Amino acid sequence: MTACGTTKEDGKGGGSDAACDLKLAFFGPETGDAAGLGKPIIQGAKLAVDQYNADADCKVELVKYDSQGSPDAAPGLARDVAGDESIIGVVGPAFSGESAAAGPIFADVGVPTITPSATNPTLADNGWDTFHRALGNDATQGPAAARYIKDTLKASSVFVIDDASEYGAGLAGIVEKDLGDAVKGTDTIQQKQTDFSATVTKVTSAKPDAVFFGGYYAEATLLIGQLRDGGWDGTFVVADGVKDPAFLDAKAAAEGTIITCPCIPDTDPAVAQFAKDYEAEFGEAPGTYAAESYDAANIFLDGIGDGIDTRADMLKFVNDYDKKGITKQLKFDDKGEPADVHVYAYTVKDGAIVPEGEIK
């Protein structure tokens, strides 16, 4: 690889030692039912790359591998990434199921990955030295959601539902365990299911104060509408997989929903400039995990700017990384988990998802 001749400023742009002819990959849903969650992740990474390239002689290319969030599509796409040695890092995979399917392939060829959004705790237990996570996992989000239900909502009875996905079932299981005797019933639905009448019957019979749903926004949007139509009027609690504007399509039924997320609000002072830059480039406010994706991409870009041009060297760089990002101090433990973790509560109010604050 050849070196570039621009001056690196504030960690952005290719400096005199910056490597050339390199790519970063986004791995996750660009199309399909989960595209709404993929879009801000793509745009967060793109903003980081565009800012880097603005001052660089040697441009970094961001290439997209559209998994549609499917674990079935992940292995083939991962092999495509593995075969392109100019790809020196992966922002993603975005979801837990596809992360589990693609992780062994990335580990075999030494491609470092930083997911800004996959939260299943077991991903860090596979022994993949290439795996890194830029946010807290569900072993932190699940207990935080349970605390919110018990301490803030004061719910004495809860019904727990999951969508059978690696993400949704794992998270719901943690919440169920932490709520203990407060759980009065459970049920499992399927992704792409549209008729939840059987689940509605179970919930209305149990008459819980709250329902926790572990899954994604496509099903949550229909589920809450059918629960309200069935006469249930308790508090609907969901997690980061539902934190997408498409959930607001449920209209009045979505009002009052509580959403937990290990993602920093874009109103936080630490992300103010990022939010301003993001809106200037894309014409909209940052969505869920845009800031975490921006941080993930910038870790790789810092390495490229320092002259790293091999996967092995990039992996060591990421493993040793310790620098303040916009969402947190970016540092990983020996399993790839972040050293700094926070979980926040959001609520649907007047047709918008608004932050409530950190769940302590």
Side-chain angles (χ1 to χ4, degrees):
M1 300 291 177
T2 56
C4 302
T6 56
T7 300
K8 188 178 182 186
E9 296 179 359
D10 299 326
K12 304 292 190 295
S16 59
D17 295 324
C20 297
D21 303 320
L22 297 177
K23 302 172 185 174
L24 297 181
F26 160 79
F27 194 110
E30 184 179 15
T31 62
D33 292 342
L37 289 172
K39 181 182 177 184
I41 298 173
I42 294 171
Q43 292 182 167
K46 184 177 186 300
L47 177 61
V49 171
D50 288 350
Q51 289 177 341
Y52 177 93
N53 285 341
D55 295 321
D57 288 342
C58 296
K59 311 297 185 186
V60 174
E61 182 182 356
L62 179 67
V63 292
K64 292 175 282 187
Y65 288 82
D66 180 14
S67 66
Q68 295 195 338
S70 168
D72 295 335
L77 294 174
R79 286 189 286 270
D80 290 343
V81 172
D84 185 348
E85 293 188 2
S86 65
I87 296 175
I88 201 167
V90 175
V91 178
F95 292 169
S96 295
E98 63 183 4
S99 294
I105 297 167
F106 293 138
D108 283 346
V109 295
V111 182
T113 68
I114 306 175
T115 178
S117 51
T119 53
N120 188 293
T122 63
L123 292 172
D125 296 330
N126 291 294
W128 306 327
D129 63 348
T130 49
F131 174 81
H132 306 84
R133 189 170 1 225
L135 75 167
N137 65 36
D138 290 335
T140 55
Q141 182 176 199
R147 284 198 306 277
Y148 189 97
I149 291 169
K150 290 186 292 186
D151 299 341
T152 302
L153 296 182
K154 308 292 186 184
S156 60
S157 60
V158 185
F159 198 97
V160 177
I161 305 169
D162 72 82
D163 69 349
S165 70
E166 184 123 359
Y167 157 72
L171 178 58
I174 293 169
V175 172
E176 179 185 352
K177 180 176 181 291
D178 275 43
L179 288 173
D181 292 342
V183 176
K184 302 306 180 185
T186 64
D187 198 21
T188 296
I189 65 168
Q190 301 297 318
Q191 290 181 287
K192 300 187 182 297
Q193 184 176 335
T194 58
D195 180 1
F196 302 110
S197 54
T199 300
V200 170
T201 298
K202 293 176 183 178
V203 172
T204 53
S205 296
K207 299 180 181 178
D209 299 327
V211 166
F212 178 84
F213 172 64
Y216 295 102
Y217 65 84
E219 289 73 34
T221 305
L222 298 175
L223 177 61
I224 187 55
Q226 292 176 34
L227 284 169
R228 296 304 188 209
D229 288 345
W232 180 71
D233 61 358
T235 303
F236 194 48
V237 183
V238 295
D240 52 323
V242 182
K243 190 176 173 289
D244 185 273
F247 177 65
L248 302 175
D249 290 347
K251 301 189 183 303
E255 285 290 307
T257 295
I258 301 300
I259 305 174
T260 65
C261 187
C263 52
I264 192 168
D266 59 25
T267 54
D268 189 282
V271 298
Q273 186 60 50
F274 162 77
K276 181 178 179 181
D277 293 344
Y278 186 101
E279 189 157 2
E281 178 150 351
F282 302 112
E284 59 189 16
T288 305
Y289 295 131
E292 285 76 10
S293 178
Y294 179 83
D295 272 349
N298 270 316
I299 293 174
F300 291 128
L301 292 167
D302 279 354
I304 293 171
D306 285 349
I308 290 175
D309 58 9
T310 69
R311 290 170 173 175
D313 287 345
M314 182 61 80
L315 179 56
K316 184 179 187 309
F317 180 85
V318 174
N319 285 340
D320 294 341
Y321 200 83
D322 188 0
K323 183 185 287 189
K324 181 71 174 175
I326 60 167
T327 64
K328 60 181 69 69
Q329 186 72 22
L330 300 173
K331 181 180 180 181
F332 306 102
D333 67 18
D334 57 5
K335 297 174 69 173
E337 296 282 22
D340 189 15
V341 175
H342 305 273
V343 181
Y344 303 87
Y346 299 78
T347 188
V348 177
K349 183 178 180 181
D350 298 329
I353 298 172
V354 297
E356 281 196 357
E358 185 174 355
I359 302 173
K360 299 293 189 180

